[in-house]
Amino acid sequence: MTLRDLAERWVAIKNTARPSPNTASARVSDLWAIGQSLASAEHGGPDKLGVLEDLSPADVTLSRLEDAFARYAEGHASSSTRRVMSTWRQFCLWMVRDGHLAANPMDHIESPARTPWSPKPLQPEDLAAVAEHASSPGTTSRNPWPERDQALFALLIAAGLRISEVAALQIGDCYLKDDPPRLRVTGKGDKIRTVPIPPEAVSRIDSYLESRGVRDFETDASSPLLVRHDGRAMTRSAIDHAVRGWFRRAGRTPPKGALSHSFRHTYATMLIDNGASLPEVQQLLGHADLATTQAYLGVTAKGLAEAAMANPARKLL
């Protein structure tokens, strides 16, 4: 069997667990990323596993994998390299158990050390400039829809959602009449959480839905919340394109590698700056690990010291 045949079988087995679309897509992309190096070829297009067509398990050797991962690591963050290595480690382990490899070569390849990450919140002046241009379409926009852009901006900055979570929202996920108004958000691992939103965000979403002609939330409950002019759901790339336009028209440069995610960083940072606790922010963001949320507190001694100084028990001393 070719490596492509085996990869397709393995992916099909993993998909029986019904992973999120992002997880399933990332798994195929990870196989493709290293497969290009193993095959010494550049393959594009939707059939990413096609790059493995001319390879066999005999081509999955320690030396070739080491070379492939070294090339990959040169242009990618250590977190991405760790994820791709994890995918290949699982794939090779399955091939060993299924009798296609004698041993797992990935056992001899060390993953890069975890590097500390720090949030990249927008500066207040940058946020204000971007907010202004999110509310006013550019003069070159072919199909301006300011109400939708304002709703998108509200979801990013007033709810701190991931771009994938924004794209997955349906009209039925909006409980705008509740007290407080809230969104039902499907996060990583298909985990559901509730995110309260302020009245200003509700107003933006209401205005957008009115401009779209939505009158009955129950009838349209399963429709995507954000759509393009043709009625199809806005994809992650379409959302990023809209956000990129805001920054461009505002003459601002988003933090490197953040773009839409910079709003999430800003949301979390502002919550903590205004007294929200780490467990509260963790729940709102949908973080599985509190350590991830703790990065927003600041890894400097100054940030930790300020948190300690906020302890009201000081008044009893």
Side-chain angles (χ1 to χ4, degrees):
M1 299 181 72
T2 70
L3 202 60
R4 174 181 181 169
D5 294 330
L6 294 173
E8 288 178 340
R9 282 180 54 189
W10 179 70
V11 167
I13 291 170
K14 299 295 284 186
N15 286 348
T16 58
R18 300 182 66 183
S20 69
N22 292 337
T23 298
S25 176
R27 188 173 288 132
V28 171
S29 293
D30 292 345
L31 293 173
W32 166 76
I34 300 305
Q36 288 188 103
S37 292
L38 295 178
S40 298
E42 294 288 338
H43 286 256
D47 184 18
K48 289 188 172 183
L49 293 182
V51 73
L52 304 174
E53 179 66 40
D54 298 326
L55 298 172
S56 72
D59 294 306
V60 186
T61 64
L62 175 59
S63 60
R64 294 184 70 175
L65 283 173
E66 285 179 330
D67 289 343
F69 279 110
R71 285 193 290 272
Y72 183 85
E74 288 178 358
H76 295 82
S78 60
S79 57
S80 296
T81 304
R82 290 176 64 87
R83 190 201 70 225
V84 175
M85 284 186 170
S86 175
T87 297
W88 275 85
R89 189 170 287 111
Q90 294 174 54
F91 177 44
C92 289
L93 178 60
W94 175 80
M95 285 195 289
V96 170
R97 290 174 174 171
D98 216 47
H100 304 288
L101 282 178
N104 189 347
M106 292 298 300
D107 288 344
H108 303 283
I109 300 179
E110 286 191 23
S111 298
R114 293 183 182 272
T115 55
W117 74 281
S118 58
K120 302 177 180 66
L122 297 170
Q123 295 301 310
E125 59 274 17
D126 292 334
L127 180 60
V130 171
E132 178 182 351
H133 287 276
S135 300
S136 56
T139 56
T140 59
S141 298
R142 288 182 297 176
N143 296 301
W145 197 346
E147 294 88 356
R148 187 197 60 193
D149 282 1
Q150 291 163 10
L152 171 57
F153 181 78
L155 293 169
L156 293 172
I157 196 59
L161 304 187
R162 301 178 179 96
I163 186 172
S164 58
E165 294 170 347
V166 174
L169 280 175
Q170 297 180 336
I171 290 177
D173 294 323
C174 301
Y175 297 87
L176 306 184
K177 304 300 182 184
D178 283 13
D179 185 18
R182 59 191 175 89
L183 300 173
R184 181 180 60 202
V185 180
T186 303
K188 290 185 176 181
D190 287 335
K191 293 182 179 178
I192 306 295
R193 70 182 189 277
T194 296
V195 179
I197 56 175
E200 294 82 359
V202 173
S203 177
R204 297 295 194 186
I205 298 171
D206 271 337
S207 295
Y208 154 64
L209 290 175
E210 184 177 348
S211 74
R212 182 177 154 185
V214 174
R215 296 288 184 270
D216 187 344
F217 273 36
E218 290 187 10
T219 301
D220 297 303
S222 60
S223 298
L225 176 60
L226 296 179
V227 297
R228 297 183 288 193
H229 284 81
D230 60 7
R232 291 184 295 167
M234 285 189 79
T235 61
R236 296 172 61 181
S237 60
I239 293 171
D240 258 343
H241 178 75
V243 173
R244 191 173 291 110
W246 302 344
F247 279 96
R248 185 181 62 253
R249 296 199 301 274
R252 308 286 173 157
T253 302
K256 185 177 180 181
L259 199 58
S260 299
H261 218 64
S262 62
F263 294 102
R264 182 171 165 86
H265 292 173
T266 305
Y267 168 82
T269 302
M270 290 192 299
L271 289 180
I272 291 176
D273 283 347
N274 285 276
S277 69
L278 286 178
E280 288 170 336
V281 177
Q282 177 189 18
Q283 185 173 344
L284 289 169
L285 295 177
H287 285 160
D289 189 347
L290 184 61
T292 304
T293 315
Q294 193 168 8
Y296 291 102
L297 181 61
V299 296
T300 65
K302 179 176 181 293
L304 295 175
E306 288 177 350
M309 293 306 103
N311 185 352
R314 293 174 58 194
K315 300 177 181 179
L316 303 177
L317 303 176

